Amino acid sequence: MKLEIGNFQVRSIEFGETSSYMDGTLTINKKEALAVVREDEHITDADIVLTKPGDDVRIVPVKEAIEPRFRLNGGPIFPGVTGKIERVGSGKAVALKNCSVLAVGKHWGSFGDGLIDMSGEGAKYTIFSKLNNICLVADTDEEFERHEQQKKNHAIRWAAHRLAEYLGSIVKDMTPESTELFELGPITKREKKVNDLPSVVYVMQPQSQIEESGFNVLNYGWDTNRMLPTYMHPNEILDGAMIGASYMCCSSKWSTYDFQNCPTIKSLYKEHGKTINFLGIIMSNLNVSLEQKERAAMFVQQIASNLGADAAIIAEEGYGNTDADFIECFRLLEEAGIKTVGMTNECTGSDGTSQPLAALDVSADAIVSCGNVSTLIELPAMGTVIGELESLMRDGLSGGWEDDDVLGPSVREDGSIIMANDSMFCGDSVLGQSIKTVKEF
Amino acid sequence: MKKGILYLNQFFGQIGGEDKADYAPAIKEGVVGAGLLLNNLLEDAEITHTLICGDNFMGSNQDEAVEKLLGFLEDKEFDIFFAGPAFQAGRYGNACGVICKAVKEKFNVPVITSMHEENPGVDMFKKDVYIFKGGDSAAKMRKDMPKMAKFGNKLLKNEEIKGAEVEGYYPRGIRFEVFLDDETPACDRAIDMLLKKINGEPFVSELPIPELDRVPIAPAIKLADAKIALVTSGGIVPVDNPDKIQSSAATRWGRYSIANLERLGNKAEGAFKTIHAGYDPAAADADPNVVLPLDALKAYEKEGKIGSIHDYYYATVGTGTAEGEAKRMALEIIEYLRNDGVDAVILTSC
């Protein structure tokens, strides 16, 4: 497969008469953009708010992030989500870089939602603080889940996907400033010198633990809970096959933006033909019952073995219960003689002394640790809040609380906050961008 | 000027050799013996007193020794406490660990010592005390003492501590997140580790697998006479969640009466529900007995299969809950279970 992404570096964003892009400035016709958002009648209230790195701004509750894209050979950017099903990973697309569309609740948050600070101490905790953000702040008529801790957030997440596609369309007839080429041929048709290199698979375990549809990561619109591990081409991941989940503690979460820009895939591409033969992706999942966990790990082992993988990188979107899926998969890959490196985050408790993963095995001897969900973070008030600050403590966000004997509430009257890293929006970047690790103290 | 106190054994405190190993605890003003070196190395602090105790005295009369030594410190002002270095000397290593731990607990000041990796004191006290990696004999004094002093200076100046490996003390089983100075992203670290692993070169995992804490299976009991308690991490609570147990990363637990119930009523009836955020609550809210099986246990009780059911059940939430918190909560719950003569527990999750 051969995928060409034409990039436009967005340096500033403003509202204007006509949606356009020129010399790094993206201009958005707000009315037109909101009309795209309002295509779904379940959106009852919507606004677009712009913010950039360095602003005295806090954004919460953030439900999803997407890089604006447009597919030049027709077809939706997210097949099975913003349009019909069709295979992605080939052809040409354009992308607005250095920016993201954020789906933000006007009032209501849920367990998997997160927080982003655009400046100050809090800005170091998530890569989304370094992007120009187009915040879709919306409310919906999804009354059935208004006061539920677990929300599907369907209307607002889908509206953000449509908005990202609309914004991408602004540059569809323009010449990109630069082009990224992703090309990887069929496994049996590669040159001998490539085939002679150690072959590597990338095993992805996206979040799929909720039995009811609507909460989990989607693969071409299909709920990953209903899926057995399967082989995929890396370009499919980069080109919109995967949609981030609504469920999962937020710092562990992989947003759609993270899938579109998966740094580990890009690094594997870079090494392909030099130090490794990159075989592709085994898309697995994370399960609830032990039998499901074992079945998925068994499939991963089987696919990796029969592809002839010598080595694997395995990444887990979650912690706690899902550590069992991660460790079992790690163990079975090692058992099959496949040299494996794991990528995950840890939960060591506020005093740092808890067992870092809920499941452990001696075979997991090579792990890159991307962060600690338990890290306590205390931050001053910010001048402006996009969304609703109270949601952090009121709505059951994984890293916020209403009250605590020692720490008090997560949100204080003066607007300052104390929270666990758990709710930093996609903060642990297990897909590869994390510059954090966890060390012994 | 900050103040420090140093603990030495009879030898380094210049009382004498093995023949003076029964030397009873004593305190001396200022520095003695090896303390001179430490005092010179401290930048903005001085050693005001030296505690001395014979290794055998500490070994055979530990409680008495600790009590006396702590007693000496009661009227002293100090900001930091040092002991040793103890090198490979087992009794001295134990003494340094014992007194450091006791001083930390009583006076809440940082405590620092140094031992060779084969000193048994390392494993005994590394979780409680900063123990620096030291040499095997007193010949290494000029290497080991500066490490202790340097770290002491850092602590006293509130400088950033960069972790066990960088600073040079034994890991304490405390793991915290850090931002890497060189900002190498995780993907590059993973590829680097993978290539090393493929090529058979040494590599360092960022998450060393700790020793597993396995609990042996308990001996069987006679069910027909047994009082059984129900404990759950499945988040089943009275609908108003009176103890405000958190939906994830719980630090709280609750104790709720089931004395007069045949089964748990559900959420719609205003009785019990789940607050667990790690699983779909629908089934448990409709019938909390699927998580906390009071109905089944009552049936067993009627059949005479079990003796009786404990009048209370205990609940917390086990999603994202730190293992250390879980252990603490369990120990707190166990006290109630023991007091009420519970013979066995059925522990349910979700």
Side-chain angles (χ1 to χ4, degrees), chain A residues 95-162:
Chain A
L96 294 171
K97 306 304 285 188
N98 199 33
C99 68
S100 79
V101 172
L102 299 179
V104 184
K106 185 178 166 77
H107 300 294
W108 305 102
S110 59
F111 182 71
D113 297 356
L115 180 142
I116 301 169
D117 272 4
M118 295 305 292
S119 63
E121 172 73 7
K124 72 181 185 189
Y125 288 100
T126 163
I127 61 161
F128 292 93
S129 304
K130 287 106 195 155
L131 298 176
N132 294 295
N133 287 314
I134 302 139
C135 303
L136 167 60
V137 186
D139 203 357
T140 78
D141 66 358
E142 292 155 311
E143 296 304 327
F144 68 97
E145 65 177 17
R146 168 98 53 219
H147 300 292
E148 293 294 327
Q149 184 176 19
Q150 300 294 354
K151 293 185 176 66
K152 298 180 184 183
N153 293 307
H154 182 276
I156 184 170
R157 290 194 295 136
W158 263 241
H161 298 143
R162 288 194 302 278

Side-chain angles (χ1 to χ4, degrees), chain A residues 124 149-150 267 334 339-340 346 348 352 354-355 365 367 369 372 405 432 434-437 439-441, chain B residues 161 164 169 172-180 186-189 197 203 205-206 247 252 277 322-324:
Chain A
K124 72 181 185 189
Q149 184 176 19
Q150 300 294 354
S267 290
E334 285 285 333
K339 296 193 165 90
T340 302
E346 304 184 28
T348 70
S354 288
Q355 185 173 302
D365 64 353
I367 292 177
S369 181
N372 181 11
D405 301 338
S434 176
I435 56 164
K436 297 190 291 185
T437 189
K439 286 192 171 172
E440 287 274 349
F441 275 83
Chain B
I161 305 304
Y169 57 86
R172 299 182 297 162
I174 297 174
R175 294 178 64 76
F176 289 125
E177 172 178 289
V178 292
F179 287 80
L180 292 167
C187 54
D188 292 350
R189 279 136 61 197
K197 196 167 176 179
F203 61 88
S205 178
E206 295 178 16
S247 297
R252 297 180 182 185
E323 174 257 349

